[in-house]
Amino acid sequence: MQHFEVNFDGLVGPTHNYAGLSFGNVASLSNAKSSSSPKSAAKQGLAKMKALQEMGMVQGVLAPQERPDIYALRRLGFQGSNEQVLRKAAAEAPAIFRACCSASSMWTANAATVSPSADTMSGRVHFTPANLTNKFHRSLEPQTTGRILQAMFANSRYFEHHQHLPDNEHFGDEGAANHTRFCNDYGNAGVELFVYGRYAFDSSKPAPQQYPARQTYEASAAIARLHGLSDENVVFMQQNPAVIDQGVFHNDVIAVGNQNVMFYHEQAFLNEQQGFAELEAKLGQPMHFIKVPTSAVSVEDAVKTYLFNTQLITLKPGHMIIIAPTECEEHPGVKAYLESLIAGNTPIKDVRFFDVKQSMRNGGGPACLRLRVALNDQELAAVNPHVILTDALFSRLNQWVDKHYRDELSIDDLIDPSLLDESRTALDELTQILHLGSVYPFQQD
Ligand code: SUG
């Protein structure tokens, strides 16, 4: 049997914009209200997907969501025709309106937590969409995310789907961004590391003071239970509250792991030694803990360049490469660090830089754009084949973007009611391209 790590990248949606919606995410706040390019954002994402496919990885596509979210606006009391709802919301509650326009579902590392079949009691792959309760604009995602995942992984013999956790900050869950699976080989039982920012039911424990901790211990523990993981293959670690207060709003902004490698910043975790010892003991083999000291890269530079929001992928046994944003290449200190890393004696042998600046300006690097799903060949054969990237799908999606996406979108353009129709027309066609069925609310009216 063969095993793969498949990366499902989020397609950027037609309303991609910079609304400054994410308190605690430095890039989102500092680029608020700049104009965006949905077309180049989508194409940058597609180019990264294609490059990974050409490297021999199995690459998948995850569809974006319908925005503006007219249903959320109606639920909040805006009434009338669609056009009236949009106009009233934009005039009376512009901040809420902008939140309902966000294309944030593109960051699919926050779409769900996924446990591969080798780790779970049922022997199936488990999916739980993240509830994303900490940010209103993101809390609009989980239901549609669940429908899209069910349309992609539609075989109940291999795949088990759970409802997202209760929509409450006590169970704030940000999905795979705070979850890393370590293993010898993708097909072997692994150890799943859940990183949380605070305890919801015990305020005496350490927590950040300035910015929110989006993931709670209680949410992480609930996901481990739902997925049928055993104590022997789960480790919980707390993020260092001090780095959350410096803009590390998800653990994947300060650490990335793959197989037996943990690449991380020295300030990333609380109780690092204890957590890593448990991880290594449960994995049952030595790990490579590649620690980046503050003296080499400060937390501020890590947040600025997204050195850790990189993809660490295995191209062949023992040969891993880093997929980094061009911001890392443009920063002399980080670039020098990466050069020394790949020259050293670790499984990380190379680095490739990708321009995903449209996403980076909202705090989304290469790792935010993808959801990792480890699958064996039978499971892969059971995935909806139309969401797996091929040369033909790549050109079809580029044509689709060219046809439907705007070159430029200013924050004021969001009030144009035709954006809703454009987005719906595009998404309706996309569900046909990807054979998803009627996953969007507007298709079910
Ligand atoms: O949730 N930005 C996203 C970025 C998510 C990055 N994901 C990971 N690290 N895995 C967020 O903060 C900004 C939207 C705006 O401001 O317009 C935003 O939602």
Side-chain angles (χ1 to χ4, degrees):
M1 203 181 274
Q2 276 188 291
H3 298 92
F4 310 87
E5 177 184 89
V6 187
N7 287 282
F8 289 88
D9 278 43
L11 257 177
V12 177
T15 61
H16 163 64
N17 72 91
Y18 304 115
L21 301 174
S22 280
F23 177 62
N25 168 345
V26 179
S28 154
L29 290 196
S30 48
N31 291 305
K33 311 233 164 119
S34 354
S35 68
S36 61
S37 172
K39 188 178 281 181
S40 47
K43 293 209 158 189
Q44 287 173 353
L46 280 166
K48 175 170 91 70
M49 295 184 220
K50 184 74 172 86
L52 265 76
Q53 181 233 349
E54 284 174 359
M55 290 175 202
M57 300 290 290
V58 183
Q59 176 68 51
V61 179
L62 227 151
Q65 304 209 356
E66 176 191 346
R67 296 290 181 270
D69 189 337
I70 201 91
Y71 303 92
L73 293 172
R74 286 188 189 283
R75 196 172 159 206
L76 296 172
F78 298 103
Q79 294 170 25
S81 65
N82 285 347
E83 183 164 345
Q84 285 167 328
V85 168
L86 295 172
R87 287 202 189 285
K88 281 185 204 164
E92 292 170 27
I96 296 171
F97 171 73
R98 285 194 292 271
C100 290
C101 291
S102 177
S104 56
S105 64
M106 65 201 271
W107 299 296
T108 55
N110 306 115
T113 307
V114 184
S115 294
S117 56
D119 298 354
T120 67
M121 206 147 50
S122 67
R124 288 184 287 196
V125 185
H126 285 242
F127 298 84
T128 303
N131 61 18
L132 299 167
T133 50
N134 185 256
K135 299 281 177 268
F136 170 64
H137 69 291
R138 303 224 59 182
S139 72
L140 304 173
E141 298 173 32
Q143 282 182 352
T144 301
T145 300
R147 279 197 297 276
I148 294 174
L149 289 172
Q150 290 184 39
M152 295 164 67
F153 302 93
N155 188 324
S156 58
R157 177 162 166 215
Y158 297 108
F159 308 121
E160 201 166 327
H161 296 272
H162 302 277
Q163 192 187 352
H164 60 278
L165 297 182
D167 297 282
N168 180 283
E169 279 256 41
H170 279 71
F171 290 99
D173 174 28
E174 302 277 319
N178 294 318
H179 170 257
T180 309
R181 177 178 187 254
F182 296 91
C183 58
N184 301 324
D185 211 346
Y186 294 116
N188 298 344
V191 180
E192 301 197 14
L193 172 66
F194 290 84
V195 182
Y196 55 92
R198 69 181 174 101
Y199 288 84
F201 289 87
D202 185 350
S203 53
S204 69
K205 295 268 176 57
Q209 302 299 308
Q210 195 189 343
Y211 290 149
R214 299 196 198 182
Q215 179 92 30
T216 67
Y217 166 76
E218 291 81 353
S220 298
I223 300 284
R225 276 191 299 272
L226 279 171
H227 289 196
L229 306 176
S230 76
D231 286 349
E232 286 70 53
N233 68 350
V234 171
V235 175
F236 298 97
M237 286 178 79
Q238 183 165 358
Q239 228 185 321
N240 177 1
V243 295
I244 298 180
D245 280 337
Q246 289 171 78
V248 180
F249 55 96
H250 289 134
N251 180 59
D252 70 1
V253 175
I254 198 92
V256 56
N258 180 45
Q259 293 188 312
N260 60 350
V261 175
M262 163 77 94
F263 175 52
Y264 72 106
H265 192 275
E266 74 169 327
Q267 294 187 52
F269 301 103
L270 273 189
N271 304 324
E272 175 195 307
Q273 278 193 351
Q274 189 189 327
F276 284 4
E278 188 183 343
L279 197 55
E280 202 164 39
K282 288 184 172 173
L283 190 65
Q285 70 158 69
M287 288 190 43
H288 296 270
F289 291 107
I290 305 174
K291 183 198 302 227
V292 181
T294 308
S295 57
V297 179
S298 66
V299 173
E300 191 188 349
D301 284 344
V303 172
K304 215 183 281 169
T305 62
Y306 267 32
L307 169 63
F308 300 96
N309 198 264
T310 43
Q311 289 177 253
L312 187 54
I313 57 172
T314 301
L315 292 188
K316 53 184 187 232
H319 185 108
M320 299 187 191
I321 73 163
I322 287 190
I323 305 295
T326 41
E327 281 74 359
C328 289
E329 192 178 23
E330 288 154 10
H331 185 287
V334 169
K335 185 170 184 232
Y337 175 80
L338 280 167
E339 278 165 2
S340 69
L341 172 67
I342 62 177
N345 188 22
T346 78
I348 305 177
K349 305 294 184 206
D350 203 359
V351 53
R352 308 268 173 90
F353 299 101
F354 286 85
D355 178 358
V356 288
K357 286 191 191 300
Q358 284 286 326
S359 169
M360 284 287 285
R361 284 187 203 132
N362 255 337
C368 300
L369 287 162
R370 60 88 174 96
L371 181 68
R372 305 158 98 173
V373 185
L375 296 169
N376 64 37
D377 41 16
Q378 286 172 354
E379 292 159 352
L380 182 57
V383 176
N384 170 351
H386 304 281
V387 300
I388 302 295
L389 196 74
T390 57
D391 294 351
L393 181 59
F394 176 71
S395 42
R396 182 77 188 81
L397 288 173
N398 273 291
Q399 286 160 9
W400 172 80
V401 169
D402 283 331
K403 181 170 156 197
H404 297 287
Y405 280 49
R406 296 191 185 187
D407 284 312
E408 203 178 348
L409 196 62
S410 75
I411 207 81
D412 293 335
D413 293 334
L414 293 173
I415 57 180
D416 175 0
S418 52
L419 198 58
L420 176 72
D421 294 331
E422 282 170 35
S423 174
R424 287 183 167 183
T425 308
L427 295 184
D428 200 42
E429 194 177 316
L430 184 68
T431 52
Q432 293 166 39
I433 298 171
L434 301 179
H435 294 238
L436 293 177
S438 299
V439 287
Y440 297 115
F442 79 91
Q443 296 175 312
Q444 295 166 351
D445 281 345

